[in-house]
Amino acid sequence: MSKNNNNNNNKSVLRLKDYRVRSSDSLSKVVLLHNLKDDSGKFNPCKGGNRHTWFRRNVKSVAFMFVLTAFMFLLDSVMVSVFGSINFHGSSSTRNSDGREEDSVAHKERPTVEMYGRLLNLASSALVAEEFKQESLNFWEEPYQEASKWTPCADKRYPTSLGKPGENNGYIMVSANGGLNQQRVAICNAVAVASLLNATLVLPKFLYSNVWKDPSQFGDIYQEDYFMRMLKDDVHIVQELPLHLKSLDIEAIGSLITDADIVKEAKPIDYIRTVLPLLMKNKVVHFLGFGNRLGFDPFPPELQRLRCKCDFHALKFVPKIQEVGSLLIKRIRKFKYHAAERQLDKQLLGDFTPSISSKENYVERGSSRYLALHLRFEEDMAAYSQCDFGGGEHEKKELEAYREVHFPLLIERLKNSKPVSPAELRKLGKCPLTPEEAALVLAALGFKRGTYIYLAGSRIYGGSSRMHPFTNLYPNLVTKETLLTYNELAPFRNFSSQLAALDFIACATSDVFAMTDSGSQLSSLVSGFRTYYGDGHAPTLRPNKKRLAAIFSENSTIGWTTFEDRVRKMIEEGQRVRVRGSGRSIYRQPRCPECMCRLLP
């Protein structure tokens, strides 16, 4: 097992070398061609009509350049063929960093899939042309000054603050399902419900999933003492039930509450009517699952503030995660940091926040910018969407088989509903963006070929065959698996939620965060964190998939300049500073009076 993992690590290193070699090859080709140009920019190796004389004098140089160019193309092809089989999943016999065995059939190497070959060629030419130009548009910065006028203040005490209730109606237990981000939301919703019902919250538990196979509990991810201390003035929190309640059969006495017992996005009145009587009668209730079972509006302002305080202040990662997260950021930034310490870094990394005053030997002062990308194109997303991603009959059968095994309820629903074609789904903006589409968006926004990109998750459906169009445009792509050694990742192996915490840190502290699916919990929570702690200097790129689908539908005729303009307008509109709308998640959009304070002009 150790040998296999070491091989995987070596492959990751080789893959990074492959990207760099291919990047430098392309640059060499550009320089060679540039040397054959005259001042007008046209290829003109001779002047005054004396071509034969020029050719005899320079025949060796010309031959050498042709041979060298041919060698570069040959080397590029060899690199692609040699390293092409090394994808983000590893070989069919390897395991992911989260310890799950890969499906050798679903993820074996396959031909590269391109849906927009013409646009890719235009993007490649545009990136070459822009390589030595100064950036005309700057998506590295927040476009609106209004963003910096909102500051964090959910942890402040106000005369209207509820405080800890004098009487206790009983104990609330929560066993949260899902991954790291779903569990985070469940924790803070449980804090709000405990305060609403004048109850004591037992430190939440996490349900074991047969999919993720992660036994992590609250204390493996978050600092328990800090959490309880930060919320001590707001709600009673204990680590365990008192002895006289431990022996109770919760289900037998009717105090087990599943997601089927509470409507999605339930209102406070629903808890007061259905849960409070049970709590007062049995002195304990147990929420099992608790996935998305508390709405956002209407909701008492002080309880909204408590949710924000929980999410943005009380939940701090344990030192083990903070330390490796800090190391990950150091590797991404190549030991170059922001001149001033940021609230964002301090909240996520604690005492392990990198500092330029540290005794380490830095390459140079200043920061090395990077863009973090959460590319939601895993197999479950692709299968559930029912979209066509250009992979032909093989892809269609593969995703159908996955749906039958993993989404039986979806299959039943489809049998009883009018079918919607993949083309119509794409037109409606229901399809997850492919790596190819994500790369084209970044190119249209003016991000240069050499941009350093951190890819969160990295379990891309289709492996390297899907990633080739992306890495051909943006070769400087890294993941936690390529930046950290096998031994550094070892403590997190088989713990998917702890690995997800490293992705959370890398995305939240990035200079730019780009998402491809605004409905993703990771993307939502990361963008909320950046809004809350970013001080107006943490831009997030949110594509509108419906508008983007309309743009891509013209891929056979649209000009690159027009494509750029339309994509940029779409992203700029998504960056406008907006106060949280009614019903919107306060974790994703904390810019509201209950969560943040707006500075006066």
Side-chain angles (χ1 to χ4, degrees):
M1 183 66 183
S2 175
K3 183 177 180 181
N4 288 338
N5 284 316
N6 285 330
N7 289 338
N8 293 339
N9 212 37
N10 292 335
K11 290 177 182 178
S12 297
V13 173
L14 288 172
R15 182 167 64 252
L16 284 177
K17 290 180 180 177
D18 175 32
Y19 295 157
R20 296 191 185 104
V21 168
R22 287 157 66 184
S23 177
S24 60
D25 286 351
S26 299
L27 187 58
S28 299
K29 295 169 192 172
V30 173
V31 172
L32 284 171
L33 293 174
H34 180 74
N35 289 337
L36 291 175
K37 294 181 181 180
D38 65 10
D39 293 339
S40 67
K42 298 179 180 178
F43 290 102
N44 189 16
C46 57
K47 292 183 179 180
N50 207 2
R51 298 183 180 181
H52 296 292
T53 303
W54 178 90
F55 184 81
R56 284 195 299 272
R57 290 178 179 175
N58 298 278
V59 65
K60 291 184 179 180
S61 299
V62 172
F64 174 75
M65 280 187 278
F66 273 111
V67 171
L68 184 59
T69 303
F71 174 74
M72 290 296 183
F73 279 107
L74 178 62
L75 180 61
D76 193 48
S77 300
V78 171
M79 287 295 182
V80 171
S81 62
V82 171
F83 298 116
S85 61
I86 304 173
N87 57 39
F88 288 96
H89 303 295
S91 68
S92 60
S93 61
T94 62
R95 286 180 177 266
N96 289 304
S97 57
D98 61 9
R100 286 179 291 159
E101 195 78 42
E102 286 288 72
D103 187 335
S104 59
V105 176
H107 299 302
K108 66 182 181 181
E109 186 61 19
R110 63 192 73 178
T112 298
V113 178
E114 289 185 2
M115 299 175 68
Y116 310 101
R118 175 179 170 274
L119 277 177
L120 286 173
N121 290 332
L122 293 176
S124 182
S125 298
L127 290 177
V128 170
E130 294 291 325
E131 189 65 32
F132 302 104
K133 293 182 181 178
Q134 189 172 359
E135 289 176 328
S136 56
L137 288 179
N138 193 1
F139 283 94
W140 290 100
E141 299 291 340
E142 288 267 17
Y144 301 99
Q145 292 184 349
E146 175 69 16
S148 62
K149 295 179 181 179
W150 289 86
T151 61
C153 63
D155 59 331
K156 293 183 178 179
R157 297 288 296 173
Y158 293 90
T160 56
S161 296
L162 295 175
K164 202 155 34 176
E167 59 182 73
N168 183 12
N169 289 326
Y171 292 82
I172 289 178
M173 301 170 63
V174 174
S175 294
N177 60 12
L180 174 80
N181 302 291
Q182 291 85 351
Q183 290 164 352
R184 188 182 185 103
V185 169
I187 291 168
C188 295
N189 285 347
V191 167
V193 169
S195 178
L196 173 71
L197 302 181
N198 287 345
T200 295
L201 177 66
V202 180
L203 208 63
K205 303 287 186 184
F206 299 152
L207 290 174
Y208 181 84
S209 167
N210 288 326
V211 175
W212 298 107
K213 295 179 168 50
D214 183 356
S216 296
Q217 288 301 322
F218 191 103
D220 298 313
I221 300 172
Y222 302 110
Q223 298 178 34
E224 293 181 354
D225 291 342
Y226 184 89
F227 176 76
M228 297 169 72
R229 188 168 64 251
M230 179 59 68
L231 298 174
K232 65 181 177 60
D233 294 327
D234 304 286
V235 63
H236 290 284
I237 303 176
V238 295
Q239 290 191 325
E240 295 181 349
L241 275 177
L243 287 174
H244 71 282
L245 293 176
K246 277 187 176 182
S247 59
L248 290 177
D249 186 330
I250 303 294
E251 186 173 6
I253 64 175
S255 283
L256 183 66
I257 303 173
T258 69
D259 283 355
D261 300 316
I262 305 178
V263 297
K264 190 177 180 181
E265 303 286 350
K267 296 177 174 60
I269 191 64
D270 296 322
Y271 284 89
I272 293 172
R273 287 173 177 169
T274 62
V275 178
L276 184 58
L278 272 177
L279 181 65
M280 297 185 72
K281 176 185 175 183
N282 298 326
K283 294 302 178 185
V284 59
V285 293
H286 183 185
F287 292 104
L288 188 65
F290 206 56
N292 203 24
R293 284 304 180 269
L294 186 63
F296 292 98
D297 293 292
F299 211 79
E302 287 307 315
L303 288 182
Q304 292 283 40
R305 184 182 298 278
L306 185 56
R307 287 166 119 176
C308 287
K309 184 177 181 179
C310 170
D311 185 38
F312 300 116
H313 294 275
L315 289 174
K316 279 201 172 185
F317 293 124
V318 293
K320 179 182 79 169
I321 292 175
Q322 289 180 333
E323 183 176 15
V324 178
S326 179
L327 180 61
L328 182 62
I329 301 305
K330 289 178 183 178
R331 300 264 171 83
I332 297 173
R333 292 197 182 282
K334 304 174 186 177
F335 292 91
K336 305 176 190 177
Y337 307 112
H338 292 275
E341 187 177 273
R342 302 187 302 171
Q343 288 188 81
L344 196 55
D345 299 333
K346 185 64 179 175
Q347 179 64 22
L348 288 168
L349 301 174
D351 294 336
F352 298 96
T353 304
S355 172
I356 60 172
S357 60
S358 171
K359 294 180 180 179
E360 296 186 53
N361 294 320
Y362 297 104
V363 178
E364 65 178 286
R365 290 174 179 262
S367 66
S368 179
R369 299 187 302 186
Y370 77 96
L371 178 149
L373 172 66
H374 186 214
L375 189 54
R376 284 291 275 124
F377 195 68
E378 293 88 353
E379 188 169 13
D380 60 339
M381 282 286 291
Y384 194 86
S385 71
Q386 306 162 63
C387 295
D388 177 13
F389 302 102
E393 195 63 25
H394 174 80
E395 174 195 278
K396 182 180 178 181
K397 291 180 178 179
E398 183 175 81
L399 296 180
E400 282 179 352
Y402 189 94
R403 279 194 293 273
E404 290 177 1
V405 174
H406 297 279
F407 303 123
L409 294 179
L410 173 64
I411 297 296
E412 286 300 315
R413 191 167 74 244
L414 291 175
K415 290 178 181 177
N416 301 314
S417 60
K418 183 180 178 181
V420 181
S421 70
E424 185 65 20
L425 288 170
R426 184 168 295 279
K427 185 178 179 181
L428 293 171
K430 302 294 185 182
C431 299
L433 296 191
T434 65
E436 178 184 8
E437 290 169 328
L440 287 169
V441 169
L442 294 180
L445 296 179
F447 287 99
K448 294 191 173 183
R449 177 178 169 80
T451 301
Y452 212 54
I453 299 175
Y454 177 87
L455 179 64
S458 78
R459 297 191 71 248
I460 304 302
Y461 171 63
S464 61
S465 65
R466 280 288 177 185
M467 289 305 298
H468 279 154
F470 191 104
T471 54
N472 283 341
L473 292 183
Y474 292 100
N476 292 330
L477 186 72
V478 294
T479 67
K480 55 185 177 295
E481 290 82 6
T482 60
L483 289 167
L484 299 172
T485 67
Y486 175 80
N487 289 333
E488 289 164 349
L489 271 176
F492 305 94
R493 217 166 292 276
N494 300 322
F495 300 103
S496 59
S497 290
Q498 296 179 45
L499 287 165
L502 297 179
D503 277 336
F504 189 102
I505 289 171
C507 289
T509 61
S510 63
D511 295 278
V512 177
F513 174 58
M515 63 175 75
T516 59
D517 180 21
S518 58
S520 158
Q521 282 281 26
L522 173 65
S523 293
S524 295
L525 294 180
V526 164
S527 63
F529 224 84
R530 292 170 64 81
T531 296
Y532 192 79
Y533 283 113
D535 194 30
H537 300 290
T540 296
L541 310 179
R542 301 178 182 87
N544 181 312
K545 289 192 292 185
K546 187 174 182 179
R547 287 181 61 180
L548 197 56
I551 298 172
F552 278 127
S553 69
E554 302 175 29
N555 72 88
S556 60
T557 57
I558 193 170
W560 183 252
T561 301
T562 303
F563 180 78
E564 283 182 324
D565 290 342
R566 291 174 66 180
V567 170
R568 288 172 181 179
K569 286 178 182 177
M570 174 193 68
I571 294 296
E572 285 169 350
E573 287 182 20
Q575 289 185 308
R576 289 180 179 173
V577 178
R578 296 181 176 91
V579 175
R580 184 184 74 91
S582 178
R584 299 289 184 177
S585 168
I586 205 160
Y587 306 119
R588 178 183 176 183
Q589 298 180 4
R591 200 178 280 124
C592 61
E594 299 90 346
C595 211
M596 300 182 73
C597 296
R598 188 181 184 279
L599 300 177
L600 296 175

